[in-house]
Amino acid sequence: MRIAVTGGNGLVGNAIKAIVYQYPQHEFVFLTRTNCELTSRMSVLTFFSSGDNRFDYIIHLAAKVGGLFMNLDSNVEMFSENIKINENILFACKKYGIKRGIFCLSSCIYPCNPSRFPMDESMIHESPPHHSNEGYAYAKRMLELQCRQYNKAYGSEYICVIPVNLYGPYDNFSIKNGHVIPAIMNRFHGEKAKKDGKFTVYGTGRPYRQFLFARDFAKIMCDVLLDNKYDNTEPLICCNDETTIKEMVGSLADAMDISRDKLEWDINKSDGCMKKTVDNSKLCKYYPDFKFTSLQDGLKETYKWFCDNQTTLRQ
Ligand code: GDP
């Protein structure tokens, strides 16, 4: 099969590049801003109408994304850009005969006050998301709705996968806009040089989060798309164990060789959503033998990559 991967330069796009050797009978083509601007209908149609750009399947990763503090600042853009990207991609998929695909959502689109924890795949639209990221969340909820409608109307097989907080090499390490792991890694790395300084973490450390190594997620997506084990088109949650921000930052400090005694908490900064635990029983049913990378190993590998790629990393 020939597979288009949107968001080819991002965290997950690069994680797919690292594992394509495991799928030698398929050809993956990675789309980036340089070959196709996904917010522009004209650019998308120009790209997909070219005879060189015919695809059987798609993995749609591209989105405007950011951590808690970026979402708080730019809910308007998060909604508008993501709606445009998804609308254009789905339109092109239908027009150019892409019958099957994986479409990436996120567990942060889930209700912030759900009727129960852990939340499963049926609860995406149950009640409003956390106000901090409602622009992103509603745009992604609409992607789920649209995939369902396309499948029903046109017989496509568009499957929405729902990862938890992803991290790994090639992340966006922006201190201001990044997600918690890359943002803190970058900040602490800069502060390490200062002798005897404290390392400040935002919030109370009490929120719970589930973290997933991007390469694990890449593998799950490619398997769901290609191995025929996943025999339906319903959304699928992809996650590993849950931890508190405090425990995660402790492990990150260990990976960076920083003493945990030097961590301090700025409780005047937002905690965001306190808990958004999702349930991976469906994933475990279809992939009972999947081996997840431990948070400790994933953080060590990410920090090594971060140190080795100082001149080119996104920040
Ligand atoms: P979220 O999981 O969608 O809320 O997004 P993040 O990946 O940005 O994680 C936010 C959580 O990490 C909140 O509980 C923040 O209080 C906490 N946190 C602690 N320090 C930082 C930081 O430097 N950057 C970010 N983005 N979050 C931080």
Side-chain angles (χ1 to χ4, degrees):
M1 296 295 167
R2 194 154 192 262
I3 304 156
V5 182
T6 70
N9 265 347
L11 168 66
V12 184
N14 275 294
I16 293 180
K17 283 179 195 162
I19 61 160
V20 288
Y21 72 91
Q22 297 177 27
Y23 306 89
Q25 66 277 45
H26 302 288
E27 182 192 0
F28 293 77
V29 178
F30 293 87
L31 278 61
T32 66
R33 271 233 166 81
T34 344
N35 48 26
C36 185
E37 171 51 59
L38 299 181
T39 54
S40 155
R41 172 73 57 103
M42 179 88 87
S43 171
V44 170
L45 292 184
T46 306
F47 177 82
F48 281 94
S49 63
S50 154
D52 293 339
N53 297 326
R54 289 293 142 82
F55 302 100
D56 305 293
Y57 292 171
I58 190 164
I59 298 180
H60 176 42
L61 305 172
K64 186 171 175 67
V65 294
L68 168 63
F69 298 100
M70 176 176 172
N71 273 288
L72 276 167
D73 278 353
S74 11
N75 266 306
V76 172
E77 295 78 12
M78 298 305 267
F79 182 78
S80 166
E81 285 196 30
N82 284 311
I83 286 281
K84 278 185 210 149
I85 291 171
N86 297 336
E87 209 8 52
N88 291 337
I89 279 294
L90 280 166
F91 186 84
C93 285
K94 159 83 174 44
K95 191 168 168 68
Y96 295 104
I98 298 178
K99 291 288 281 180
R100 184 172 168 83
I102 300 289
F103 291 74
C104 189
L105 309 181
S106 162
S107 66
C108 72
I109 74 173
Y110 267 82
C112 72
N113 290 309
S115 56
R116 63 182 151 83
F117 284 115
M119 295 178 279
D120 66 22
E121 286 84 354
S122 70
M123 295 170 68
I124 300 174
H125 304 278
E126 187 193 79
S127 57
H130 195 262
H131 67 87
S132 59
N133 72 338
E134 63 180 9
Y136 177 83
Y138 277 113
K140 285 286 187 177
R141 286 186 184 194
M142 291 308 101
L143 178 58
E144 190 282 322
L145 173 79
Q146 282 185 296
C147 285
R148 209 167 357 114
Q149 289 179 331
Y150 271 70
N151 291 344
K152 200 168 163 201
Y154 308 125
S156 50
E157 296 171 10
Y158 298 155
I159 301 164
C160 288
V161 289
I162 307 162
V164 289
N165 289 39
L166 294 164
Y167 72 101
Y170 297 93
D171 209 337
N172 174 4
F173 291 86
S174 162
I175 290 174
K176 187 163 172 277
N177 295 329
H179 282 100
V180 56
I181 290 179
I184 293 186
M185 191 177 284
N186 199 357
R187 206 147 44 79
F188 283 9
H189 185 77
E191 287 164 3
K192 258 174 88 170
K194 295 182 212 148
K195 258 199 175 154
D196 299 327
K198 285 280 184 189
F199 293 84
T200 309
V201 193
Y202 301 156
T204 61
R206 287 204 298 266
Y208 286 88
R209 291 291 185 273
Q210 290 156 296
F211 293 101
L212 180 62
F213 195 49
R215 208 166 53 232
D216 293 353
F217 181 49
K219 172 84 179 127
I220 294 168
M221 281 191 301
C222 292
D223 284 352
V224 168
L225 182 67
L226 298 167
D227 72 6
N228 295 319
K229 282 189 194 154
Y230 194 67
D231 56 6
N232 63 87
T233 55
E234 298 299 315
L236 178 67
I237 289 171
C238 306
C239 77
N240 199 357
D241 301 334
E242 185 171 57
T243 171
T244 59
I245 292 288
K246 189 168 187 180
E247 285 169 63
M248 181 282 288
V249 175
S251 301
L252 180 56
D254 296 346
M256 297 180 72
D257 207 16
I258 291 169
S259 162
R260 292 186 183 212
D261 301 339
K262 292 188 172 177
L263 301 176
E264 62 180 15
W265 301 85
D266 179 354
I267 59 166
N268 294 315
K269 291 271 199 318
S270 173
D271 268 335
C273 188
M274 290 309 285
K275 189 174 163 75
K276 41 189 180 179
T277 322
V278 287
D279 178 357
N280 71 356
S281 16
K282 191 170 170 193
L283 178 71
C284 295
K285 181 180 139 205
Y286 282 94
Y287 295 96
D289 301 322
F290 192 84
K291 297 271 177 292
F292 288 99
T293 305
S294 71
L295 182 61
Q296 288 73 15
D297 287 349
L299 290 174
K300 270 189 218 145
E301 183 176 331
T302 306
Y303 186 53
K304 180 174 183 330
W305 184 90
F306 172 88
C307 292
D308 291 346
N309 291 275
Q310 283 290 298
T311 51
T312 49
L313 52 84
R314 279 192 295 153
Q315 58 181 323

